[in-house]
Amino acid sequence: MGSFAHGKSSSTTIFLVCISVFTALDHLCTLHIRVAAKSNVYIVYMGQKPHDNEELLVKAHHGVLASVLGSQEGSVDSLVYSYKYGFSGFAAKLTMAQAQMISELPSVVEVIPNRLHKIQTTRSWDYLQLSPRFPNSLLRKSRMGSGAIIGVLDTGIWPESEVFCDEGLGPVPSRWKGICESGELFSPAKACSRKLIGARYFVKGLEAAYGHPLNNSKFQDYWSPRDRSGHGTHVSSVASGFFVPNVSYHGLAVGTVRGGAPHSRIAMYKVCWQVNGGVCADIDILKAIDQAIYDGVDVLSLSLGPSFPSYSDVDMRNGIAIGAFHAVAKGIVVVGAAGNSGPAAYSVSNIEPWLLTVAASSVDRSFLVAITLGNNWTTMGQGMFSGKLTKFHNLVYPEVSDLDDERACESLSLNDTWAAGNVVLCFASDDFNDDTHNTSSSVKKVGGLGLIVAKNPTKAVEPFINNFPCVQISLDTGMQILNYIRSTRNPQVKIGASTTRVGQPLSTTVAYFSSRGPNSVAPAILKPDIAAPGVAILAAVPPSDPKDRNSYAFISGTSMATPHVSAIVALLKTLHSHWSPAAIKSAIVTTAWSSDPYGAVIFAEGQPMMSARPFDFGGGIVNPNKAVDPGLVYDMGMADYIQYFCAKGYNNSAISGITKRSISCPKRRPSILDINVPSITIPSLTHPVSLTRTVTNVGAINSSYKAAIEAPPGITIAVKPRILKFNHKMKSIPFTVTISSNHRVTTGYCFGSLTWLDGVHSVRIPVSVRTNI
């Protein structure tokens, strides 16, 4: 179903799209649900607010509806939401003909049909060196995020969890306008506190799409901000949870669970529901962002994103993008997940330049398991379970004849009764989409004693059912074990219990599932922007028994990486409240680790595993203690975003509709290469090109920076001027970068960097260039 764009060609519309919650193993599935035989729910987007009188805006929205429906009564019945805080628009039940009529009104930018979509830490903060033990850390300087408010759009929250206690917190910030809504098993007086200061739920869009209230007997969720799935509780815990000591998962990863900004406040906006496996409605998400703008959040943490492939960013079918744009215009930093479609190239989501897009990386922790064969040869694998096989047991492999296909792990089922009483070795056919949970479940149900899975190694090891011994090993180790089985009359194996190992020599990797660049819509805008821990993150979840208070689980995904960065943004906002969202994004990107905190190479999991590149992790791994004092920032404001719109081909009326400014793009389209993002990406270098950037001094007033160039192989880079001198009058300085290629053939991307140095700061941006002959 398409959108109705008044006065615009399909190549110059603006955005709203499909939504999924990003966890590592779930898959997106779009649902197309009609409200009634002749009506659907539509979003009527009217752009930037013309004024701040919300009452008049709502009347205007009803007026638009009444002009088409014929009566005020009809408009009241039709209206689902009014968007009135961050921007102007509404959601309503309309026939296609009525939607077409509304789209032709001069005050309307676009009309889009509502869509429904299925939803997809004890160590990480120490790994990032964000510890209260260090007096000069960002955590201590920011008073642990005291006063910052993190808004989370997700599946709700379990407020009784100990991580959400308000111990040591002062009064709720006076600027806060939000509320806690009551609902099923959710009493604001008991659930909300000085920690959880806001909790709302948005379900009207979902109900309107179904055309009737949801059936409580089939509704596998709480009709309130309370979380059932655990995703929202986990995300909130990572971002803002308070200190809870001596937490573990069945004895693994023992330590103190906490969020990155433990003294910050949380506002939960529940927009995803456990219907048909989990559904989020576009219009609910957009309304939640609009409400959060009014409530007064400092940061919006969205572990949500559009499906891959993304809509063009001149196509207005992405609710996150358009809502985030208006939030950023109000000074709110919006942090979004890169997605879990990796390691495929061009799979990254949340690709707009105003978003801070986060990839997932590992931490310096693994869960090692000793495997001892009957010949006393011992090797190490990875697994999460507390059980062990103290005695030797038979080790088997599903051999087949030469005429049959090999039996991969995924093919094992309840019919494989030969596995009873044995430990099974198998090889995964798809290293990045193996179904180890179902395989181990089948082996266990037929009486198997354990499972050894050979695959390309990854750090994303998840807990297995009922502590059933399930071990992941590399392919070469798997071949050694297979050779032992084939050469031994009675092969035996003993599997030890999982043990936690922390620190060196464990390398950091970008997770295989983390979506990769280049940006499929605007290749000259680097995405993702940054990487943060998102593999096997231990945090709070709802208990299986509602009578319990606390429960903790490991979850992997860019959903878990996103709140790490949201927390760091909250800490930075506490210290630098006057910095724009773009300045904070720049500070995070330009100070990131390009090697891990121990100085070792960062690898990107894939086939094969390779050293990480900007398309894997943007600027690198987030380095919070450096981000607090970046020296220089690549700042952006509304004028820069308008330049971006012009460069991408929006027409003047479309841009004016978004911004409510009179816009006239230059006849000669601006170059997207000149957008002041903290990176340089040239997707097709056919001849020497010059581009501009501007840096703003946020360090010492009198300072001098010198350019250091690490040119990509076969590429020449010249910077003018090479030295930037700042003083009390000269706070921002533009510079020109000229890039040319020495290659005589078309190449793939080559990578380098441009760094500004003053002896104290190192302001680094990645450079990515592809030569096209």
Side-chain angles (χ1 to χ4, degrees):
M1 186 178 294
S3 61
F4 302 98
H6 173 59
K8 296 172 277 292
S9 70
S10 61
S11 64
T12 56
T13 53
I14 312 167
F15 254 96
L16 286 206
V17 82
C18 64
I19 306 302
S20 63
V21 177
F22 284 132
T23 52
L25 301 174
D26 296 322
H27 302 282
L28 181 93
C29 177
T30 304
L31 303 177
H32 300 280
I33 299 176
R34 289 193 173 275
V35 177
K38 296 182 180 180
S39 67
N40 284 312
V41 184
Y42 290 85
I43 299 169
V44 179
Y45 176 61
M46 303 173 72
Q48 189 67 270
K49 295 191 303 179
H51 51 75
D52 291 327
N53 189 320
E54 286 88 12
E55 185 177 348
L56 289 180
L57 283 176
V58 174
K59 288 183 178 179
H61 299 161
H62 279 292
V64 170
L65 275 172
S67 70
V68 172
L69 301 180
S71 69
Q72 286 292 332
E73 292 78 8
S75 74
V76 171
D77 292 338
S78 173
L79 189 72
V80 179
Y81 288 127
S82 270
Y83 306 122
K84 55 189 177 180
Y85 299 120
F87 48 93
S88 180
F90 57 89
K93 291 172 281 187
L94 303 166
T95 65
M96 185 176 293
Q98 291 165 344
Q100 180 66 52
M101 292 173 64
I102 289 178
S103 74
E104 295 171 356
L105 298 175
S107 61
V108 173
V109 177
E110 190 165 9
V111 177
I112 312 101
N114 181 39
R115 297 171 58 140
L116 304 181
H117 309 273
K118 282 200 170 185
I119 61 174
Q120 297 245 292
T121 90
T122 51
R123 181 61 192 171
S124 58
W125 294 114
D126 287 341
Y127 165 80
L128 295 176
Q129 299 178 5
L130 197 64
S131 171
R133 294 175 295 161
F134 304 122
N136 293 322
S137 73
L138 171 59
L139 192 65
R140 293 288 291 271
K141 290 179 179 178
S142 65
R143 294 177 293 119
M144 302 190 190
S146 178
I149 302 171
I150 302 175
V152 179
L153 270 67
D154 219 290
T155 63
I157 193 167
W158 193 266
E160 291 80 12
S161 177
E162 198 172 354
V163 296
F164 302 128
C165 76
D166 59 3
E167 179 183 339
L169 296 181
V172 174
S174 59
R175 58 191 168 85
W176 178 245
K177 299 178 183 178
I179 63 169
C180 283
E181 292 182 339
S182 61
E184 183 183 1
L185 294 182
F186 197 95
S187 168
K190 295 180 179 179
C192 289
S193 62
R194 291 170 297 171
K195 165 62 80 172
L196 179 61
I197 63 173
R200 299 179 185 266
Y201 62 104
F202 301 85
V203 72
K204 289 182 180 179
L206 196 61
E207 290 185 311
Y210 276 92
H212 55 77
L214 297 176
N215 189 327
N216 280 334
S217 64
K218 298 180 180 179
F219 190 46
Q220 301 299 312
D221 208 331
Y222 298 105
W223 204 266
S224 71
R226 183 172 293 280
D227 184 17
R228 187 180 186 95
S229 77
H231 191 275
T233 300
H234 197 279
V235 165
S236 301
S237 172
V238 171
S240 183
F242 196 64
F243 297 85
V244 181
N246 300 319
V247 171
S248 70
Y249 180 84
H250 297 290
L252 295 175
V254 177
T256 297
V257 163
R258 66 174 175 89
H263 282 183
S264 65
R265 318 304 173 102
I266 303 171
M268 172 55 67
Y269 300 87
K270 182 176 179 177
V271 295
C272 296
W273 298 83
Q274 291 293 94
V275 180
N276 294 328
V279 172
C280 324
D282 271 345
I283 68 174
D284 291 331
I285 291 167
L286 198 57
K287 180 58 180 175
I289 295 176
D290 183 49
Q291 188 65 58
I293 293 171
Y294 172 81
D295 289 346
V297 302
D298 297 302
V299 189
L300 275 173
S301 188
L302 310 181
S303 293
L304 312 167
S307 65
F308 175 78
S310 300
Y311 282 97
S312 167
D313 66 2
V314 290
D315 188 323
M316 193 185 146
R317 278 171 282 185
N318 187 337
I320 288 180
I322 199 67
F325 172 77
H326 289 288
V328 168
K330 297 290 185 180
I332 300 168
V333 182
V334 183
V335 186
N340 300 318
S341 298
Y346 295 98
S347 57
V348 64
S349 298
N350 287 321
I351 52 180
E352 293 71 37
W354 49 87
L355 286 168
L356 179 48
T357 307
V358 188
S361 59
S362 66
V363 297
D364 58 342
R365 179 178 63 194
S366 64
F367 302 97
L368 301 181
V369 179
I371 302 171
T372 303
L373 303 183
N375 60 5
N376 288 325
W377 180 72
T378 298
T379 187
M380 303 302 292
Q382 290 196 86
M384 288 188 191
F385 53 88
S386 59
K388 61 181 178 179
L389 300 178
T390 57
K391 298 179 180 180
F392 281 100
H393 295 275
N394 292 333
L395 175 62
V396 297
Y397 172 74
E399 297 278 11
V400 295
S401 73
D402 293 339
L403 299 178
D404 295 324
D405 293 332
E406 291 290 334
R407 294 293 307 278
C409 296
E410 301 90 290
S411 71
L412 298 180
S413 69
L414 296 178
N415 295 325
D416 292 305
T417 55
W418 51 264
N422 299 313
V423 176
V424 178
L425 169 70
C426 66
F427 288 76
S429 62
D430 185 339
D431 295 311
F432 305 115
N433 291 292
D434 67 284
D435 198 5
T436 306
H437 276 279
N438 285 339
T439 302
S440 62
S441 177
S442 296
V443 172
K444 183 177 187 299
K445 286 180 180 179
V446 299
L449 301 179
L451 179 67
I452 301 173
V453 177
K455 55 182 288 188
N456 275 322
T458 72
K459 295 289 185 69
V461 180
E462 302 292 340
F464 290 102
I465 52 171
N466 299 321
N467 290 312
F468 181 69
C470 182
V471 190
Q472 172 184 298
I473 58 174
S474 64
L475 289 173
D476 58 340
T477 301
M479 285 306 304
Q480 293 182 64
I481 296 177
L482 181 58
N483 289 335
Y484 163 75
I485 293 174
R486 288 173 169 172
S487 62
T488 305
R489 177 176 299 179
N490 184 28
Q492 301 279 296
V493 68
K494 181 169 63 175
I495 298 177
S498 300
T499 58
T500 306
R501 183 168 182 173
V502 173
Q504 291 183 281
L506 301 174
S507 64
T508 298
T509 62
V510 177
Y512 72 90
F513 57 76
S514 187
S515 292
R516 310 293 213 269
N519 184 329
S520 62
V521 171
I525 303 298
L526 177 64
K527 291 290 174 173
D529 296 301
I530 198 72
V535 176
I537 302 302
L538 183 63
V541 293
S544 54
D545 185 347
K547 296 179 181 178
D548 295 335
R549 183 178 180 186
N550 297 303
S551 185
Y552 301 90
F554 287 106
I555 307 181
S556 295
T558 54
S559 280
M560 285 62 247
T562 300
H564 278 86
V565 175
S566 300
I568 292 166
V569 169
L571 300 179
L572 293 173
K573 288 277 282 188
T574 301
L575 290 175
H576 302 295
S577 59
H578 62 287
W579 282 8
S580 70
I584 289 178
K585 173 180 172 178
S586 174
I588 287 173
V589 172
T590 61
T591 60
W593 279 300
S594 55
S595 55
D596 78 5
Y598 299 108
V601 174
I602 298 170
F603 289 92
E605 294 178 345
Q607 293 178 319
M609 184 180 292
M610 301 172 62
S611 58
R613 308 168 300 173
F615 295 144
D616 302 316
F617 65 179
I621 306 295
V622 63
N623 185 348
N625 293 320
K626 289 291 186 181
V628 69
D629 180 22
L632 305 176
V633 295
Y634 293 77
D635 206 357
M636 294 177 69
M638 184 59 72
D640 299 278
Y641 298 126
I642 291 172
Q643 181 186 1
Y644 172 77
F645 293 148
C646 292
K648 286 300 294 174
Y650 287 79
N651 62 32
N652 294 333
S653 62
I655 302 172
S656 298
I658 298 174
T659 62
K660 283 297 182 281
R661 300 183 183 186
S662 179
I663 302 299
S664 179
C665 290
K667 290 185 178 179
R668 183 177 180 180
R669 183 183 293 186
S671 171
I672 196 171
L673 299 179
D674 291 328
I675 305 302
N676 204 44
V677 292
S679 60
I680 296 173
T681 307
I682 303 179
S684 181
L685 182 63
T686 58
H687 54 78
V689 64
S690 293
L691 55 92
T692 61
R693 290 290 185 273
T694 299
V695 286
T696 300
N697 183 24
V698 293
I701 293 176
N702 297 306
S703 54
S704 178
Y705 286 81
K706 184 177 181 179
I709 301 168
E710 182 186 346
I715 301 296
T716 299
I717 298 179
V719 177
K720 186 177 181 180
R722 289 291 295 259
I723 297 177
L724 306 178
K725 293 186 177 181
F726 298 89
N727 53 44
H728 69 283
K729 292 183 178 180
M730 189 68 68
K731 297 181 179 179
S732 296
I733 300 177
F735 62 90
T736 301
V737 182
T738 301
I739 300 177
S740 58
S741 176
N742 302 317
H743 294 288
R744 297 184 179 183
V745 296
T746 296
T747 70
Y749 277 98
C750 298
F751 304 97
S753 64
L754 168 61
T755 307
W756 292 102
L757 303 168
D758 70 343
V760 177
H761 303 94
S762 178
V763 189
R764 179 184 179 276
I765 62 172
V767 177
S768 310
V769 181
R770 180 169 61 183
T771 301
N772 188 11
I773 302 299

